[in-house]
């Protein structure tokens, strides 16, 4: 069965859970009535399901093709699909109306992004990175730069990339060697090689805008001396159209495990002309605007690939006949029962739904806080939005990609030996999803960022605010007998997360290796607790709808999956707490030469 966008679930989150129309008085939400949003979701479902999904396997099998003239050809059908993407106005959903966008809240655009990624992850990376470049220039570009580049990027007429990694440095960007030499006319000559550049060269747009990290001659060593530059493939002429070809070349494509339809390039800048964005030596902080947006997008990719893989596994489980139910035949007229009758198959499918639907709610809830951080007139709401966006970004990226990959692996397991072949789609979902645990900062780096910076930021204001919100929810719902499993499970998980936080504060400073050793378990403990909160809120919403007379089976399904999460997934928090409290001693016991 081909991927079917879960439009009903998006509508549930936006209408019922987040109550998007509550914010209709804010200018940023004025055009986001649920009637409009429903139409967007339906059309997005058609576009991604009918146009992008059929090209997913094509992109995987064909890949991109590099030519000695340094050009790259995308897989068959990608150019035509990209034209339809632009003609449909999808790029402009969340962009600023001042630059040709529709100005809708980002939480609405997130639904389209997930559908696009689930339908065709490799294709969706091209517009995804373009929007990241748009955001970085919007945040720090000069007015002249905004006027020149943003309308083209918002319309996806021009593509965008970020050029960070070099052959000798990835995470430690302080080691980068790409240099920028002032030309004396306000431009710089950029020289150096960048690798693993997603969408670094392709045939989808008339120009590509590279955002390049480089060090100006004489700048301080390390990350303090990094600047950010706009380096377009074609230098815009006086009319803002692509002009002279810049000295930026794609030297080749990486041979990858997955996302074959996306051009992952080696890019050489050979005294290429570039323009400084923002101030000298402040490039990394500007690039983090793009990276943080990308990290949320990567967390979304984990959910998206998990959704596609789950759908394939559920369809296979309903159709594949193997063995008989332990409680007697369920298909007595057939030679065997469908494997969905077996408890262990149900375990994997229920694990998948619990993570996917809870993770999607976590993404949307965080995205709404991000919208309110910019749009609310209430300073406290804005501050909370900024705090939650900063705190949750590493959790969303690390937890949802780890769990998304596990869902894809379980989906392959449901297929049995068939899943290990290329005759079924799950092998591609598993291969494509694996990169999400690595790029935009490995999940280990996300965990270190969470415990090393995000927890302590502003005196711990963000995490304390989250704890207070969870406590308030539990107190408000503890008298409701139907909510008891959700409230009790959430309260225990929150208490364990709080205990882990205190342990880190007490032991991490004394020995930084303790924080490093605990970081991944802490990130997962945080993610599990956050999803418990999401499921508790979804349960309350579903119960209210049922009490109001709704017969929509979606609400009963939410309660069933939510109860499964609380009973079968959430208990993992206790083990995570026990592991992190053992500290670094056993982890660091062997000398390096013993490995």
């Amino acid at each position: 069965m081909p991927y079917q966008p879960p439009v009903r679930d998006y509508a549930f989150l936006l209408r019922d859970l987040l109550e998007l129309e509550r914010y209709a008085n804010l200018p940023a939400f004025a055009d986001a009535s649920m009637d409009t949003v429903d139409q967007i979701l339906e059309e997005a479902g058609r576009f991604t399901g009918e146009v992008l999904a059929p090209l997913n396997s094509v992109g995987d099998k064909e890949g991109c093709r590099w030519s000695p003239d340094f050009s790259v050809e995308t897989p068959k059908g990608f150019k035509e699909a990209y034209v339809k993407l632009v003609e449909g106005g999808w790029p402009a959903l969340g962009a600023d109306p001042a630059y040709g966008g529709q100005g809708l809240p980002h939480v609405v655009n997130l639904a389209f992004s997930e559908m696009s990624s689930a339908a065709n992850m490799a294709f969706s990376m091209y517009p995804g990175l373009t929007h990241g470049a748009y955001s970085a220039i919007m945040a720090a570009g000069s007015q002249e730069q905004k006027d020149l580049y943003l309308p083209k990027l918002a319309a996806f007429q021009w593509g965008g990339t970020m050029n960070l990694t070099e052959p000798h440095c990835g995470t430690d960007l302080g080691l980068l060697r790409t240099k920028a030499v002032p030309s004396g006319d306000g431009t710089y000559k950029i020289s150096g090689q960048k690798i693993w550049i997603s969408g670094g060269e392709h045939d989808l747009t008339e120009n590509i805008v590279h955002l390049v990290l480089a060090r100006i001659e004489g700048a301080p060593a390390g990350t303090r001396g990094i600047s950010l530059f706009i380096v377009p493939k074609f230098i815009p002429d006086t009319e803002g159209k692509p002009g002279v070809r810049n000295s930026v070349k794609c030297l080749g494509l990486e041979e990858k495990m997955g996302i074959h339809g996306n051009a992952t390039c080696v890019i050489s800048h050979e005294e290429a002309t570039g323009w400084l964005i923002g101030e000298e030596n402040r490039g990394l902080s500007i690039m983090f605007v793009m990276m943080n947006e990308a990290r949320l997008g990567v967390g979304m990719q984990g959910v998206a690939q998990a959704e596609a893989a789950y759908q394939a596994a559920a369809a296979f489980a309903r159709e594949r006949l193997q063995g008989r139910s332990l409680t007697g035949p369920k298909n007595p007229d057939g030679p065997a029962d469908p494997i969905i009758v077996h408890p262990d198959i149900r375990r994997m499918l229920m694990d998948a739904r619990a993570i996917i639907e809870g993770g999607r709610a976590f993404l949307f809830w965080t995205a709404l806080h991000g919208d309110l951080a910019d749009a609310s007139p209430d300073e406290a709401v804005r501050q909370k939005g900024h705090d939650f966006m900063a705190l949750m970004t590493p959790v969303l990226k690390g937890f949802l990609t780890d769990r998304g990959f596990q869902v894809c692996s379980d989906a392959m397991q449901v297929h049995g030996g068939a899943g290990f072949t290329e005759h079924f789609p799950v092998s591609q979902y598993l291969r494509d999803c694996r990169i999400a645990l690595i790029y935009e900062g490995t999940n280990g780096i996300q965990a270190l960022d969470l415990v090393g910076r995000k927890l302590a930021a502003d005196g711990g204001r963000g995490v304390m605010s989250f704890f207070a919100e969870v406590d308030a929810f539990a107190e408000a719902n503890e008298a409701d007998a139907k909510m008891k499993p959700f409230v009790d499970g959430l309260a225990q998980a929150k208490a364990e997360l709080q205990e882990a936080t205190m342990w880190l504060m007490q032991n991490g400073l004394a020995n930084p290796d303790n924080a490093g050793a605990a970081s991944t378990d802490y990130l997962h403990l945080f993610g599990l607790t956050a999803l418990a909160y999401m499921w508790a809120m979804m349960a309350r919403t579903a119960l209210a709808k049922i009490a109001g007379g709704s017969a929509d089976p979606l609400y009963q399904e939410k309660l069933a999956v939510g109860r499964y999460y609380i009973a079968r997934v959430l208990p993992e928090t206790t083990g995570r707490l026990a592991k992190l409290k053992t500290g670094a001693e056993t982890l660091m016991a062997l000398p390096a030469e013993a490995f």
Side-chain angles (χ1 to χ4, degrees):
M1 183 188 77
Y3 164 73
Q4 299 293 316
V7 171
R8 288 174 68 235
D9 204 39
Y10 300 128
F12 165 76
L13 293 176
L14 295 171
R15 175 188 291 107
D16 299 337
L17 183 70
L18 302 178
E19 297 178 287
L20 202 63
E21 291 186 326
R22 279 195 304 160
Y23 307 103
N25 62 311
L26 301 179
F29 290 79
D31 295 327
S33 70
M34 278 311 302
D35 285 343
T36 299
V37 170
D38 284 338
Q39 292 176 21
I40 291 171
L41 295 176
E42 290 293 337
E43 288 301 319
R46 273 191 285 273
F47 173 75
T48 56
E50 296 173 8
V51 177
L52 299 187
L55 295 173
N56 197 36
S57 178
V58 174
D60 184 53
K61 290 178 171 58
E62 287 191 8
C64 296
R65 292 169 294 281
W66 177 83
S67 295
D69 64 356
F70 311 114
S71 66
V72 171
E73 183 182 358
T74 52
K76 183 174 63 180
F78 272 42
K79 288 179 70 173
E80 293 78 6
Y82 195 88
V83 170
K84 292 179 180 179
L85 175 82
V86 174
E87 288 178 344
W90 298 112
L93 280 182
D96 191 326
Y99 300 104
Q102 297 179 33
L104 288 171
H106 294 297
V107 69
V108 176
N109 191 49
L110 184 61
F112 172 74
S113 296
E114 191 202 315
M115 289 188 236
S116 176
S117 185
N120 195 324
M121 179 173 165
F123 178 94
S124 71
M125 289 171 64
Y126 294 106
L129 286 160
T130 296
H131 194 271
Y134 164 94
S135 297
I137 295 173
M138 173 67 85
S142 68
Q143 191 59 53
E144 183 180 7
Q145 290 170 341
K146 292 178 182 179
D147 291 341
L148 174 59
Y149 291 103
L150 294 187
K152 305 292 198 325
L153 292 171
F156 288 11
Q157 185 177 348
W158 293 0
T161 75
M162 55 179 171
N163 285 217
L164 286 74
T165 307
E166 300 182 5
H168 61 283
C169 76
T171 299
D172 191 356
L173 289 169
L175 300 176
L176 71 79
R177 296 173 184 159
T178 299
K179 65 180 182 179
V181 179
S183 299
D185 60 357
T187 66
Y188 293 76
K189 293 300 181 185
I190 311 298
S191 299
Q193 188 176 105
K194 300 289 186 176
I195 63 171
W196 304 340
I197 309 305
S198 299
E201 176 61 38
H202 54 76
D203 54 4
L204 302 179
T205 60
E206 64 182 23
N207 203 358
I208 300 174
V209 181
H210 300 286
L211 298 192
V212 183
L213 288 180
R215 194 183 310 279
I216 297 173
E217 286 189 324
T223 58
R224 294 186 302 112
I226 297 175
S227 299
L228 182 64
F229 299 86
I230 297 174
V231 184
K233 174 181 174 180
F234 293 100
I235 297 172
D237 62 20
T238 55
E239 296 180 354
K241 297 178 181 180
V244 177
R245 176 69 188 257
N246 210 346
S247 50
V248 179
K249 297 177 181 177
C250 172
L251 301 183
L253 298 176
E254 302 289 354
E255 295 289 337
K256 310 186 297 290
M257 174 180 175
I259 54 170
H260 296 151
N262 192 268
T264 306
C265 303
V266 177
I267 297 291
S268 175
H269 299 276
E270 301 171 359
E271 293 195 339
T273 301
W275 286 262
L276 180 69
I277 304 179
E279 300 176 20
E280 292 185 6
N281 306 329
R282 297 294 303 276
L284 204 55
S285 63
I286 302 169
M287 182 60 85
F288 267 113
V289 173
M290 191 173 184
M291 289 184 68
N292 285 333
E293 179 174 307
R295 286 169 176 172
L296 289 174
V298 174
M300 175 273 295
Q301 287 178 333
V303 171
Q305 294 304 290
E307 173 68 42
Y310 161 76
Q311 289 188 19
F316 185 88
R318 290 192 299 266
E319 297 167 2
R320 176 70 166 171
L321 302 181
Q322 292 283 285
R324 289 296 187 186
S325 167
L326 298 175
T327 56
K330 299 298 185 289
N331 179 33
D333 296 330
D337 289 333
I339 63 173
I340 201 167
V341 304
H342 303 307
D344 198 54
I345 297 294
R346 289 291 191 102
R347 172 187 63 81
M348 290 184 280
L349 295 176
M350 288 294 283
D351 275 355
R353 284 194 64 167
I355 292 297
I356 292 165
E357 295 176 25
R360 180 179 293 128
F362 187 23
L363 277 164
F364 278 52
W365 175 82
T366 306
L368 177 59
H369 278 292
D371 283 320
L372 295 175
D374 296 327
S376 177
D378 187 325
E379 184 178 351
V381 172
R382 292 198 305 273
Q383 181 185 88
K384 183 178 182 181
H386 286 299
D387 287 348
F388 278 7
M389 283 290 287
L391 177 66
M392 302 304 175
T393 292
V395 183
L396 288 163
K397 196 280 185 184
F399 180 78
L400 294 183
T401 57
D402 270 351
R403 295 307 174 108
F405 181 74
Q406 182 62 54
V407 169
C408 291
S409 180
D410 283 346
M412 178 177 283
Q413 191 74 15
V414 169
H415 282 74
F420 198 65
T421 72
E422 294 299 320
H423 299 297
F424 289 83
V426 289
S427 62
Q428 182 185 349
Y429 298 136
L430 186 72
R431 288 185 285 103
D432 285 354
C433 189
R434 189 59 184 84
I435 186 58
L437 287 68
I438 298 171
Y439 62 12
E440 308 306 341
T442 66
N443 286 358
I445 294 296
Q446 303 306 312
L448 287 173
D449 180 46
L450 176 64
V451 303
R453 294 199 305 158
K454 299 302 173 60
L455 285 183
D458 299 303
R461 188 177 64 205
V463 72
M464 292 301 112
S465 178
F466 177 68
F467 288 156
E469 182 168 321
V470 170
D471 287 341
F473 178 91
E475 183 178 350
N477 292 277
E478 62 184 355
D480 186 340
K482 293 180 179 179
M483 283 291 294
K484 182 174 173 55
F486 297 96
V487 172
D488 288 352
L490 174 61
Q492 179 176 338
K494 180 263 174 181
E496 290 171 328
L497 178 60
Q498 194 164 24
E499 182 179 345
T501 305
M502 295 303 297
W503 186 92
L504 280 170
M505 291 179 178
Q506 294 167 2
N507 294 274
L509 290 177
N511 179 3
D513 277 346
N514 281 331
S519 60
T520 291
D521 287 305
Y522 183 85
L523 182 145
H524 278 264
L525 176 51
F526 205 126
L528 289 161
T529 304
L531 262 63
Y533 183 35
M534 298 303 114
W535 275 115
M537 288 194 290
M538 287 191 282
R540 182 182 63 180
T541 300
L543 287 168
K545 292 296 181 182
I546 293 168
S550 175
D552 188 336
L554 178 142
Y555 300 122
Q556 293 291 355
E557 290 178 18
K558 288 294 179 188
L559 291 172
V561 178
R563 290 178 185 126
Y564 177 91
Y565 179 84
I566 296 298
R568 300 275 307 201
V569 180
L570 188 59
E572 183 188 326
T573 56
T574 301
R576 292 285 182 177
L577 175 63
K579 287 168 64 179
L580 74 84
K581 289 174 66 176
T582 63
E585 183 177 355
T586 56
L587 266 178
M588 308 302 288
L590 284 178
E593 57 270 19
F595 286 90

